[in-house]
Amino acid sequence: MVDRQQDSVNAGAGAETLWLELPPISSAEPNRLIVFLHGAGSSAERFAPIAIAWMLKFPSAIGAILHALKPASVGPGGDWFDGLGASDILAPRVIRAGQQVAQRIEALQRSTGVGADATLVVGFSQGGTLALELARSRPDLLSVAVSYGARMIPLPRQGETLNTTIHLLHGALDSVVPVVHAEQASRRLAASGARVTLDVLEDYGHSIGQDMIIVGTTRVLQTVFRHRRPRRRSADGATLH
């Protein structure tokens, strides 16, 4: 893994790590960028096992686990935004955080040469909220958003049209972000025209385990291959495109 850093804007504060970069597992030319957004109070290092499990399903992809630069309200990690308050108070914070993350994704796309059509954003909890915000406000920046255990803030407005692909995954036993938030987001996203799926895993709380990773990666693979034309074989066995 490679640390990417920038000089801090605060004198004497040192450098801030923007993301951990995961090189492709295979030797093939990189064909996809997967951006990972950890949860509140966590860090890129702590999210690395989940990111690596995803990368095993996409061995030709470049991965980048972004760091939240706001000090965590609880714990040693970072937060993407201040999570205290009602939805109308949280919405401007989420939008601002989404704009900051979008700038970093644009920098990643420039440095890797991978475009928006091959960029996937995977987030958990607060990171999942930002993945949904990016799918809503910056559909030009990514092809698919995957959100684990998150609320969508703000929800799509009445009459708002979204042409994005979003996969929601949630634990039925989640007491931190109850599953009702994912169900509400799914309904509102579908009403706005988004291509959305919702998978609720019965034995999970507010966490990502192997089953969550399998379902999430399967949903994305289904999306990736949905529009590819099947290959046909002629009578002599030659492959037709």
Side-chain angles (χ1 to χ4, degrees):
M1 292 187 290
V2 180
D3 283 320
R4 299 296 182 188
Q5 298 181 328
Q6 68 173 5
D7 292 335
S8 172
V9 295
N10 299 317
E16 293 176 324
T17 301
L18 290 177
W19 62 75
L20 289 180
E21 190 170 308
L22 305 173
I25 294 172
S26 75
S27 58
E29 188 73 17
N31 63 358
R32 196 166 304 281
L33 171 64
I34 307 180
V35 179
F36 299 95
L37 306 175
H38 62 74
S42 189
S43 65
E45 291 86 353
R46 289 170 62 185
F47 204 74
I50 294 168
I52 291 170
W54 264 81
M55 297 287 288
L56 290 172
K57 297 290 186 178
F58 300 91
S60 297
I62 297 173
I65 317 171
L66 271 59
H67 286 276
L69 301 182
K70 177 180 172 60
S73 57
V74 178
D79 290 349
W80 296 103
F81 53 88
D82 182 351
L84 296 177
S87 294
D88 57 341
I89 296 173
L90 291 174
R93 302 173 189 167
V94 172
I95 291 170
R96 284 195 299 271
Q99 292 168 345
Q100 294 167 355
V101 170
Q103 292 175 353
R104 292 158 73 180
I105 293 176
E106 289 172 336
L108 275 163
Q109 290 171 337
R110 288 193 297 268
S111 67
T112 61
V114 178
D117 60 340
T119 297
L120 165 67
V121 178
V122 179
F124 171 65
S125 196
Q126 275 196 3
T129 295
L130 287 185
L132 294 173
E133 166 58 19
L134 289 170
R136 186 193 68 81
S137 64
R138 291 296 308 272
D140 60 310
L141 201 62
L142 68 160
S143 61
V144 182
V146 179
S147 175
Y148 286 101
R151 295 174 62 187
M152 186 171 190
I153 307 171
L155 288 163
R157 299 181 301 275
Q158 186 173 4
E160 184 175 358
T161 301
L162 300 180
N163 183 27
T164 54
T165 299
I166 297 170
H167 300 302
L168 306 170
L169 296 98
H170 220 98
L173 306 179
D174 193 334
S175 60
V176 178
V177 182
V179 69
V180 64
H181 292 292
E183 293 168 344
Q184 182 184 33
S186 178
R187 290 192 297 269
R188 295 284 287 272
L189 286 166
S192 72
R195 296 173 294 278
V196 60
T197 64
L198 169 60
D199 291 285
V200 179
L201 281 75
E202 296 298 327
D203 297 328
Y204 276 84
H206 195 64
S207 62
I208 302 177
Q210 187 61 36
D211 292 338
M212 284 275 197
I213 293 169
I214 290 171
V215 175
T217 54
T218 298
R219 286 296 190 185
V220 172
L221 287 168
Q222 290 170 340
T223 300
V224 169
F225 290 105
R226 181 189 304 144
H227 300 298
R228 292 193 179 182
R229 295 172 57 189
R231 294 183 176 183
R232 297 178 290 110
R233 291 192 176 274
S234 66
D236 61 2
T239 299
L240 302 177
H241 297 276

